[in-house]
Amino acid sequence: MFPKGFMFGASTAAYQVEGGWNADGKGISIWDNLTHVHPDFIRTRENGDVADDSYHLYKEDVKALKAVGMQLYRFSISWPRVLPNGRINQINQAGLDYYMNLIDELLANDITPVVALYHWDLPQALEDIGGWLNPDIAQYFEEYADLIFKTYGDKVKWWITINEAWSVINGYGSFAWAPAKNLHGTGDYLAGHNLLRAPWESFTGLYQRKIFTLWRQNQYGVLWRNVFARHQMRQKTSQQPRDVINFSFGWFAHPVFKGDCPPIMREMVDRNSKAEGRNVSRLPYFTQEEINEINGTVDWFGLNYYTSMMTKNGITGDNPSTLRDTEMIQYWDPSWPSTASDWVKVIPQGIRALAKKVKEEYGNPLTIVTENGYPDHGDRDLDRIGYFETHLAEIRRAIYEDGCNIVGIAIWSIIDNFEWKDGYTVKFGIVEVDFNSPNKTRTLKKSAYWFKNYIAMHKLIQ
Ligand code: PNW
């Protein structure tokens, strides 16, 4: 059994479920822009214009969460829905009302909201002036965060700043996500640099205005960043490989827990930059003041885990690129069970190993597993049950055998939704959505009933 008080919940993200892409004064995001201007970017040429229509049907989502017995709902706010041009001079009241209604509906159903400020849908107006490559983004983020904290701070206790920093910067370093700049080895490092500066701006800005202190003391509000990591398993070779996750997970966790990027990352990118004949490193430096400011701007750890990879020493990837800088080759063992997503292989023990790493490296912070889930084509829901059963078992081992401070999980996802480049063909939901029906009918899958029983069993002791 999980310890008393362990919280079960589920996640979504604004662009993947809301639809209402231009409803009631919403501005355009980089995902609206990309999917409209380059429909071929998505394998199925689909987009999030309507998605699950959660903008109109959010009560159905809350009903589904309630039906399963979920205690947490982790969703994100669409920045351009509340600030159509990204800046504070134009506020869209209808957008603010939407999230207020959703939060009220959750609270009325005893479901705790866990709210992310940024799950990849940057206002296009900000992308037009450089997006995450523009150092001023830190101030824009502060303005936005300030508005959101002021509006919902008395109702929301759990905050996420940025979902999967690593995925955000890959929108600048590859064609994987919007804005698909493919500035590998340069733009991605710059975007990561500005991204790390953004939440501390909001953190200190609010602190100076005493709002943050207020929440901390009176409302137990927390600010955190969600760090994405695929756990890399070390291949046993005579030459010990360096840890690739210093370039993904560590890149974003180190600064907030320890003050700067991992030393090995600094050393390798500086060395490679020099060898390329550059005067300055492709990985920008923080000032000492920034290091001090960023250090400690975290109250809890959001851990997304889906899969693992093997690593071995070797040079691969575009020149230059973050991948090449790692001097490692990443691969999947062919024996690992595959899924509908080429990057997800089923390796439950990875979540325990990663949780242990978080404990050892960052002082055992309060942790919630903020994503974990199984993709199929609507055909392998029983395997999804197996996936959750084995991953939850590993989380229990992490708690009881390794002493990890994990207090909850929000699985991905409560409903089938727009799976980025895979459109609607890859499904992560425990609740099926009929995308062809006018009211996007939601139907509980077997995995939802399995979860319902699982949670009910645990509530017997709570
Ligand atoms: C996460 N990869 O994204 C996101 O937070 C969700 O929005 C998404 O739907 C979910 O995982 C499932 O994909 C990732 O290729 C997408 O390594 C792809 C990768 C990692 C994370």
Side-chain angles (χ1 to χ4, degrees), residues 350-368:
I351 197 168
R352 176 177 173 192
L354 191 56
K356 197 167 171 215
K357 188 174 177 70
V358 170
K359 178 192 169 191
E360 285 166 0
E361 190 106 35
Y362 303 118
N364 208 11
L366 186 74
T367 299
I368 293 183

Side-chain angles (χ1 to χ4, degrees), residues 16 119-120 163-164 177 230 306 343 371 412 419-420:
Q16 295 178 274
H119 199 122
W120 314 353
N163 174 66
E164 290 185 2
W177 288 284
R230 284 183 280 180
Y306 290 90
W343 59 279
E371 283 183 32
W412 189 270
E419 179 50 25
W420 310 111

Side-chain angles (χ1 to χ4, degrees), residues 389-439:
E389 194 155 42
T390 50
H391 283 74
L392 288 165
E394 291 295 330
I395 294 171
R396 274 201 308 273
R397 289 188 186 108
I399 295 171
Y400 291 119
E401 293 176 37
D402 304 333
C404 296
N405 193 9
I406 306 174
V407 300
I409 183 169
I411 59 143
W412 189 270
S413 172
I414 185 65
I415 46 176
D416 289 338
N417 58 54
F418 180 72
E419 179 50 25
W420 310 111
K421 279 189 120 154
D422 289 322
Y424 297 95
T425 56
V426 170
K427 298 166 191 295
F428 276 89
I430 59 168
V431 173
E432 183 192 331
V433 175
D434 180 356
F435 291 103
N436 296 317
S437 68
N439 50 0

